[in-house]
Amino acid sequence: GSVKGRRNAGGLAGYNYKCDVVQCYSRSSVESAWYAAGLLGYNHTGGIRESYAAGPVSGSAFFGGLVAFNDGGTIEISYWDREGTGQASSHETDDAFGRTTEEMQRAETYAEWDFESVWDIERDASHPRLRRTPESAAK
C-alpha cells in the first residue's frame, strides 16, 4: 500500500498515543511533509516491540525508518530496512536497529523473535511475515 499525508504519516499509523504496538510490520510507502516513517509517524509515550518497517519513506522534515519522532515511548527489538525505507537513521530510543535488506531477510537478524509460532520468513527472499493461525485462516 501507500500512505500520503501532510503531517504524522506512518505505514501502520500516523500518531500513536499511549498504545502498545506489538508484532506489527509495514511495507507500505510513506510520504509526508512532516513526521513520515515506515511504521509510526509520531509515537507519544507508546510502546513498540518486535515490529519492523521496510517500505520507502520520504518527507520534508522529521522522517525516519521506523519512527519519525518518538516522544517518551519505548522501542524494543524492532527494526527498519535501511535500503527499503531509504532511511539511514530513525528517531528511536532503546532497542531499535536499521539493517540492510539482506539482513532483514534472515531470521537470525531478529533477536528474541519467535519464528516457531509467530513469525515466518523465507531466507534471502522475503521479510518476516506473521504466521497464519487456524483462527485467522477461518476469518
Side-chain angles (χ1 to χ4, degrees), residues 35-37 40-41 43 48 62-73 75 80 89-94 96:
Y35 302 109
L40 297 174
N43 185 42
I48 301 169
F62 306 108
F63 47 92
L66 190 69
V67 175
F69 191 76
N70 185 39
D71 187 5
I75 302 171
W80 78 93
S89 64
S90 201
H91 191 265
E92 273 85 44
T93 60
D94 303 317

Side-chain angles (χ1 to χ4, degrees), residues 7 11 13-14 17 28 33-34 37-38 54-55 59 64-65 68-69 71 81 92 103 108 115-116 120 122 126 130 132:
R7 186 179 180 103
Y17 181 71
S28 297
W34 292 79
F69 191 76
D71 187 5
D81 184 325
E92 273 85 44
E103 291 170 316
E108 58 268 20
F115 280 91
E116 295 296 319
D120 192 16
E122 188 176 342
S126 71
L130 293 167
R132 291 183 65 133

Side-chain angles (χ1 to χ4, degrees), residues 74-91:
T74 60
I75 302 171
E76 300 174 13
I77 55 174
S78 294
Y79 302 84
W80 78 93
D81 184 325
R82 290 190 314 245
E83 296 163 324
T85 62
Q87 302 300 313
S89 64
S90 201
H91 191 265

Side-chain angles (χ1 to χ4, degrees), residues 18-33:
K18 294 186 178 182
C19 292
D20 288 331
V21 175
V22 180
Q23 297 173 334
C24 294
Y25 66 91
S26 174
R27 294 185 211 139
S28 297
S29 65
V30 179
E31 180 183 340
S32 181

Side-chain angles (χ1 to χ4, degrees), residues 84-113:
T85 62
Q87 302 300 313
S89 64
S90 201
H91 191 265
E92 273 85 44
T93 60
D94 303 317
D95 203 5
F97 310 97
R99 297 289 189 250
T100 66
T101 299
E102 183 178 347
E103 291 170 316
M104 295 284 290
Q105 294 178 347
R106 296 186 174 170
E108 58 268 20
T109 296
Y110 304 89
E112 300 178 43
W113 286 31

